[in-house]
Amino acid sequence: MSGDEVQPANTTRGPLAEPASLRWFGTAAILAVGMIAGGYLLGDGLLRAKDAERAVTVRGLAERDVTADLATWTISYSASSTSLAEAQDKVRRDTQGIEAFFKELGFPAAALQPTGANVTSFTNEGVTTYTVRQRLALRTTDIKRAQKAVARQFDLVARGVFLEEGSGMAYTFTKLNDIKPEMVAAATKDARAAAQQFAKDSNSGVGKIRDATQGYFEVTARDGDTGGWGSADSPYKKVRVVTTVSFTLD
């Protein structure tokens, strides 16, 4: 062999090779973690979407019979004459008769209050006729006494009081807020019962409420007309509410 020895090739990596490899492994690791996280989130999203599809929407009804706690009676009456003074005097006497009528029935004087008056005139062939109208309003929470009064309203006619159209007792239930929570709970319970029937038919269970909508509370006459004209004539009312509820299905 000659004196010049062949040196083996230098296989040691240079100082720049090691950082490049680390960067490559780091990028690969980040991509792997991202793919795993993305797969998990996608799968979880699909599960949530599937759960969202498993729901049922039903309606619940709650009804309650109540008795009005306020009675109002607007009494309109009039008198006509070719003499304005005579018409006014007749209305004045009618007012005294009406006040005496309610006093005899046991109402306090403050329960009856004037609400308005007007005078109109009509001339025919040179003769002018004057009509004087008066309105009194009875307002009371004594429902039974109010019923007795309206049952005897023709006693006023017998006294010469001309009752005009629209003179009638109106009964109102004012304590709706006191029964709202219990009725909403009852309507929701009724909705859950309906949902349970649906779930039973599909071999499922009823879960929690997803969302709910409360309908309007409706107060109508308990008997006869349910709305419109005549619905305020009776003190016996029916309160009704419908709720729409969506339940998840297990």
Side-chain angles (χ1 to χ4, degrees):
M1 296 180 63
S2 64
D4 296 330
E5 296 181 355
V6 178
Q7 300 292 329
N10 187 6
T11 59
T12 304
R13 296 179 180 177
L16 297 179
E18 186 173 352
S21 298
L22 291 176
R23 285 197 301 271
W24 185 87
F25 282 115
T27 302
I30 292 173
L31 289 174
V33 171
M35 292 178 65
I36 293 172
Y40 171 79
L41 293 175
L42 178 60
D44 186 57
L46 291 174
L47 287 175
R48 289 198 303 270
K50 184 177 181 181
D51 289 341
E53 293 176 356
R54 291 179 55 78
V56 61
T57 300
V58 292
R59 289 184 177 181
L61 169 66
E63 292 183 328
R64 178 176 293 191
D65 291 338
V66 298
T67 300
D69 58 287
L70 176 65
T72 54
W73 187 4
T74 299
I75 303 173
S76 299
Y77 52 102
S78 63
S80 299
S81 174
T82 55
S83 168
L84 178 59
E86 288 182 2
Q88 289 176 322
D89 186 60
K90 174 64 167 63
V91 167
R92 192 175 298 111
R93 293 195 304 271
D94 288 347
T95 301
Q96 293 173 349
I98 294 171
E99 291 173 343
F101 169 77
F102 284 107
K103 183 178 180 180
E104 292 169 5
L105 290 172
F107 289 98
L112 194 65
Q113 296 292 330
T115 59
N118 64 70
V119 179
T120 59
S121 62
F122 174 73
T123 301
N124 183 31
E125 297 182 354
V127 179
T128 301
T129 300
Y130 299 93
T131 299
V132 179
R133 288 184 173 84
Q134 176 78 37
R135 290 188 301 277
L136 294 177
L138 174 75
R139 183 181 175 89
T140 180
T141 57
D142 192 336
I143 302 301
K144 289 185 177 180
R145 198 180 299 274
Q147 288 178 284
K148 292 179 181 179
V150 76
R152 293 179 52 184
Q153 60 183 306
F154 283 102
D155 289 356
L156 292 173
V157 177
R159 299 185 188 200
V161 179
F162 179 72
L163 295 177
E164 294 190 330
E165 185 178 357
S167 298
M169 188 76 76
Y171 297 95
T172 309
F173 179 68
T174 67
K175 298 180 180 179
L176 185 59
N177 286 335
D178 294 345
I179 65 173
K180 274 185 176 181
E182 292 181 2
M183 291 197 65
V184 170
T188 304
K189 183 178 180 181
D190 184 62
R192 181 173 287 276
Q196 288 172 340
Q197 183 59 52
F198 278 108
K200 181 179 179 181
D201 295 339
S202 60
N203 295 321
S204 302
V206 177
K208 62 183 180 180
I209 295 176
R210 289 178 57 198
D211 56 72
T213 303
Q214 176 191 305
Y216 293 104
F217 277 83
E218 185 180 19
V219 182
T220 61
R222 187 187 66 187
D223 306 307
D225 293 336
T226 58
W229 186 87
S231 61
D233 292 351
S234 172
Y236 307 111
K237 310 289 185 183
K238 182 182 291 294
V239 181
R240 185 175 187 269
V241 65
V242 177
T243 59
T244 303
V245 188
S246 292
F247 295 94
T248 59
L249 295 178
D250 301 331

